[in-house]
């Protein structure tokens, strides 16, 4: 890893003639620039340094784009952090500066670029040569990686390495349906954890171990959505960051770090929390649809009750599995979604894709209880919470909007499985988040039940859809029956959407048997069953 850079550059929100390039350092530095142009690959490090610091803003085959720098406001470490050469006894502020350069005037196609970062002592880091591109022209076919829930899981580097081998590293976008790290305000989760593969390290091909990942985000723009792990709870200078993450309350939660790391794409109504973009022939809508995770256990503070000892202490209540941002009919986000689906950009797109974190259709554990506000009941000696299935906001309110707008694909995450469905209106629902830490699949073929209280869907899709068995090479259960899911801590999955042929292809890779290679196991057409 270079001396100053905490991560390799990553790309956000391409525009018709430009794109945003971001990178991070601990110190402000003397100079932070992007060099872009056809001759950038031929510059030596010394020539790149001269181009970054000289008077001329351009030269033969290169242009210079200075970055705007700001200090991230909530980055910290704690005793659970694993930072190279450092230890922390408690919650400690960590200085992380964001550098954002707007690279403009780009021609069609790919342009080579490098970042030059010069620190406060005059030491220069010059990155390898990567490539960037303006937004894909409206109507042009694109290739997109669909993923979520990386959370520093051990199979992530292998997963991304196989993406690179299968599809290359220069795609039109990475659609990330939330849960990028475990604790959003822990800097090392993003940049340099030595215990587990950090988010940007894996996506830059710099993770330690057998599989380093692949340099995807330095070459491909990221389109993110917010998962529950991007939300922090109440600020505290004591305890641990994990405790703070779990200490969110209604109206007392925070997504500042997410918004500072990913300031774009954004919309006027939702900022970076919900937005839309047209990527070639795809119109993508990203929503903020997630809830606090609470333990499903029936003792202590959790989804279904408050701890008995906390009943008389409201400041300790967890308030059940409450929703962060409303999406119910009539909410600001719902109204924006309805208008967006009816917009000319959405209606004229060849494909319409909607992305959010919570999987109301799914075989995973997190598809239940329903995605609705907890209904409290106060009884002698206890407070319990109920979640009526008929009030699931995704199934009751959002899905009819998507059906009416003829959305082609809904991308979810959260349950750490691969499964897919197609509803009666022809909308495909896909979760492709199997990179480890699987909680299992709860289907008749697995024989497993969710172990929830009576009255909740214990097995199958709570939304009532039948899971689709992979069309090419499904995994088989012990009895030889084809499984409609992948839920494994050894077999990892990634999915590619290629609109040139309108196909969504899912691949699996067995990290225990790598010689078997990447296996295409499912393929379906967005316009077909």
């Amino acid at each position: 890893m270079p001396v100053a850079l905490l991560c390799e550059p990553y790309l956000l929100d391409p525009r018709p003639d430009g794109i945003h390039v971001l990178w991070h350092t601990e110190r402000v530095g003397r100079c932070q620039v992007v060099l872009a142009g056809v001759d950038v690959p031929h510059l030596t490090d010394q020539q790149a340094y001269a181009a970054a610091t000289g008077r001329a803003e351009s030269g033969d085959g290169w242009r210079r784009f200075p970055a705007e720098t700001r200090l991230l406001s909530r980055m910290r470490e704690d005793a659970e952090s694993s930072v190279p050469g450092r230890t922390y006894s408690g919650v400690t502020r960590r200085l992380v500066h964001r550098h954002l350069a707007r690279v403009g005037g780009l021609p069609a196609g790919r342009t080579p670029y490098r970042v030059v970062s010069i620190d406060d002592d005059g030491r220069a880091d010059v990155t390898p040569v990567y490539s960037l591109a303006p937004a894909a022209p409206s109507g042009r076919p694109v290739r997109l990686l669909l993923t979520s829930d990386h959370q520093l899981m051990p199979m992530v580097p292998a997963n991304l390495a196989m993406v690179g081998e299968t599809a290359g590293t220069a795609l039109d976008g990475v659609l990330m349906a939330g849960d990028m790290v475990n604790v959003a305000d822990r800097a090392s989760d993003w940049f340099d954890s030595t215990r587990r593969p950090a988010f940007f390290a894996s996506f830059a091909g710099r993770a330690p171990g057998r599989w380093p990942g692949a340099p995807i985000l330095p070459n491909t723009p990221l389109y993110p959505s917010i998962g529950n792990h991007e939300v922090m709870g109440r600020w505290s200078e004591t305890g641990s960051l994990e405790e703070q993450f779990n200490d969110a309350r209604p109206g007392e939660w925070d997504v500042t770090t997410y918004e500072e790391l990913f300031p774009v794409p954004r919309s006027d109504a939702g900022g970076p929390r919900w937005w839309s973009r047209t990527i070639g022939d795809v119109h993508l809508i990203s929503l903020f649809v997630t809830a606090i995770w609470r333990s499903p256990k029936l003792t202590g503070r959790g989804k279904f009750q408050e701890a008995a000892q906390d009943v008389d202490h409201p400041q300790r209540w967890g308030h059940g599995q409450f929703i962060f941002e409303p999406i119910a009919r009539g909410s600001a986000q719902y109204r924006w979604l309805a208008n967006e689906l009816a917009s000319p950009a959405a209606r004229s797109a060849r494909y319409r894709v909607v992305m959010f974190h919570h999987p109301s259709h799914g075989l995973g554990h997190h598809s239940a209880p329903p995605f609705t506000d907890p209904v409290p009941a106060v009884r002698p000696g206890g407070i319990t919470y109920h979640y009526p299935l008929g009030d699931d906001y995704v199934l009751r309110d959002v899905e009819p909007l998507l059906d009416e707008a003829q959305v082609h694909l809904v991308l979810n995450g959260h349950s750490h499985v691969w499964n897919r469905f197609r509803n009666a209106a022809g909308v495909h629902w896909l979760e492709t988040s199997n990179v480890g830490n699987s909680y299992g699949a709860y289907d008749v073929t697995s024989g497993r039940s969710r172990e929830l209280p009576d009255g909740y869907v214990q097995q199958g899709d709570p939304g009532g859809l039948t899971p689709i068995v992979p069309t090419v090479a499904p995994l088989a259960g012990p009895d030889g029956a084809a499984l409609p899911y992948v839920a494994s801590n050894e077999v990892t999955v990634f999915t590619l959407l290629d609109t040139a042929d309108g196909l969504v292809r899912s691949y699996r890779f067995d990290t225990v048997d790598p010689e078997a290679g990447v296996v295409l196991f499912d393929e379906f057409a967005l316009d077909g069953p």
Side-chain angles (χ1 to χ4, degrees), residues 198-260:
F199 178 79
F200 286 117
S202 294
F203 259 125
R206 292 183 176 273
R210 180 172 184 176
W211 292 286
I216 295 173
L217 292 189
N219 296 290
T220 298
L222 175 66
Y223 294 91
S225 63
I226 300 175
N228 57 293
H229 279 270
E230 276 71 64
V231 185
M232 292 295 294
R234 296 186 293 183
W235 178 279
S236 174
E237 300 290 350
T238 61
S240 73
L241 293 174
E242 182 77 25
E243 290 170 348
Q244 182 180 318
F245 163 69
N246 286 311
D247 194 30
R249 310 292 170 89
E252 297 181 89
W253 50 267
D254 187 89
V255 291
T256 298
T257 289
Y258 174 89
E259 293 179 320
E260 291 178 346

Side-chain angles (χ1 to χ4, degrees), residues 388-446:
L389 180 58
D391 293 338
D392 186 302
Y393 300 136
V394 173
L395 301 177
R396 188 192 73 185
D397 300 341
V398 174
E399 186 169 15
L401 279 183
L402 308 183
D403 292 351
E404 183 179 358
Q406 298 179 303
V407 165
H408 295 83
L409 176 66
V410 178
L411 175 64
N412 298 131
H414 197 36
S415 280
H416 301 203
V417 300
W418 180 96
N419 53 206
R420 71 176 178 94
F421 308 84
R422 185 174 187 265
N423 70 12
V427 179
H428 298 276
W429 291 71
L430 172 69
E431 179 177 353
T432 177
S433 60
N434 187 243
V435 292
N437 195 31
S438 176
Y439 305 108
Y442 300 85
D443 179 66
V444 292
T445 54
S446 72

